[in-house]
Amino acid sequence: DNLTFQLGFQTETKKRNTAKMGAYKYLEELWRKKQSDVMRFLLRVRAWEYRHLPAVHRASRPTRPDKARRLGYKAKQGYIIYRVRVRRGGRKRPVKKGIQYGKPKNQGITQLKFARNKKSVAEERAGKRCANLRVLNSYWVNEDSVYKYYEVIMVDPSHKAIRTDPRINWIVAPVMKHRERRGLTSAGKKGRGLHRKGHGVGKKRPSVRSVWKKHNTLKVRRYR
């Protein structure tokens, strides 16, 4: 009857879609189910491994190749992966004995939050360690009760394979030095509020400071 036909058609469609899934799609689905037995075991073992490594160290290959490729990584010369460990939690005010000699507005010691996100901090530390490389992007790989772990995609601007590739040689330009320090990476733009558009974020572009400066600068217009 009609119901049996519809069910059979849906099953056939699902089979076709499953047949089209490639290896990267399977990896993506696996990383989406972080509560599964496989991923819980893998993440626990890897967190134990990462804890014993330096805070910033080079990885031989990306832990999440599907995610790295979506963010611009290529398995070719000139691309490097660095894994960075960032301590979790908020930012306590660094004052002696918890005494802040000032107005009540600024007397908070705990429950303060750093302005930028952890991923942006990880990118900055990787860029500081490898000043001759350029930070392209980064992604989350693991976390435990104390740390979060990110992998940062770095690009060597002096490598011939990068300089001759028209898809990535934009990063060779001098203005791309330390993008992570100036909020130009994806994590940095998110911290600046540039991932949103439209109503309510008009004062974010091109930056909060430039908009403030424009509104607070006296402009005396007259003929010259």
Side-chain angles (χ1 to χ4, degrees), residues 1-210:
D1 58 346
N2 191 27
L3 181 61
T4 311
F5 173 75
Q6 287 180 354
L7 289 172
F9 180 75
Q10 289 176 359
T11 309
E12 189 65 30
T13 309
K14 284 182 180 178
K15 284 181 180 178
R16 287 176 185 171
N17 292 339
T18 308
K20 289 180 181 178
M21 282 175 61
Y24 288 122
K25 187 66 177 176
Y26 276 110
L27 276 175
E28 182 185 342
E29 293 296 323
L30 195 65
W31 274 92
R32 279 184 179 174
K33 305 290 189 291
K34 295 181 180 65
Q35 289 285 334
S36 64
D37 292 344
V38 175
M39 288 305 297
R40 285 176 67 182
F41 176 75
L42 267 178
L43 292 173
R44 190 167 75 243
V45 172
R46 283 175 178 163
W48 174 85
E49 180 192 357
Y50 297 161
R51 269 197 300 273
H52 294 81
L53 294 171
V56 182
H57 62 274
R58 182 174 176 175
S60 58
R61 61 179 64 84
T63 306
R64 303 175 63 182
D66 59 316
K67 184 71 171 177
R69 281 180 62 83
R70 283 204 301 276
L71 297 178
Y73 174 79
K74 300 287 183 186
K76 59 182 277 185
Q77 292 179 327
Y79 287 86
I80 303 107
I81 298 287
Y82 266 80
R83 196 177 293 120
V84 185
R85 185 178 74 208
V86 182
R87 187 174 282 270
R88 294 177 63 173
R91 180 182 180 276
K92 190 175 179 182
R93 194 185 298 278
V95 291
K96 192 175 182 181
K97 295 184 179 178
I99 303 170
Q100 203 280 331
Y101 297 97
K103 296 186 177 180
K105 177 182 181 297
N106 299 319
Q107 279 179 347
I109 303 300
T110 59
Q111 300 185 14
L112 305 178
K113 279 76 180 176
F114 188 50
R116 290 186 290 123
N117 52 50
K118 302 291 182 186
K119 190 193 287 189
S120 177
V121 174
E123 290 177 350
E124 183 182 5
R125 290 180 184 175
K128 189 176 181 180
R129 172 65 62 88
C130 309
N132 61 323
L133 304 179
R134 305 278 160 86
V135 174
L136 179 62
N137 223 320
S138 62
Y139 52 92
W140 177 95
V141 286
N142 212 327
E143 65 183 57
D144 54 24
S145 59
V146 182
Y147 299 106
K148 286 198 175 193
Y149 303 92
Y150 297 94
E151 285 186 359
V152 184
I153 305 169
M154 316 282 284
V155 179
D156 186 358
S158 59
H159 200 287
K160 195 172 182 179
I162 300 298
R163 299 178 78 89
T164 56
D165 188 350
R167 292 173 297 183
I168 192 62
N169 62 4
W170 55 268
I171 209 166
V172 174
V175 292
M176 292 298 164
K177 291 179 181 177
H178 292 291
R179 305 168 66 237
E180 72 284 352
R181 293 287 188 94
R182 296 175 288 131
L184 300 181
T185 60
S186 181
K189 285 183 177 179
K190 185 177 181 181
R192 291 164 59 198
L194 299 180
H195 278 191
R196 294 178 59 196
K197 292 182 180 179
H199 181 72
V201 288
K203 295 182 180 179
K204 301 283 186 182
R205 286 180 174 82
S207 69
V208 174
R209 286 186 180 86
S210 65

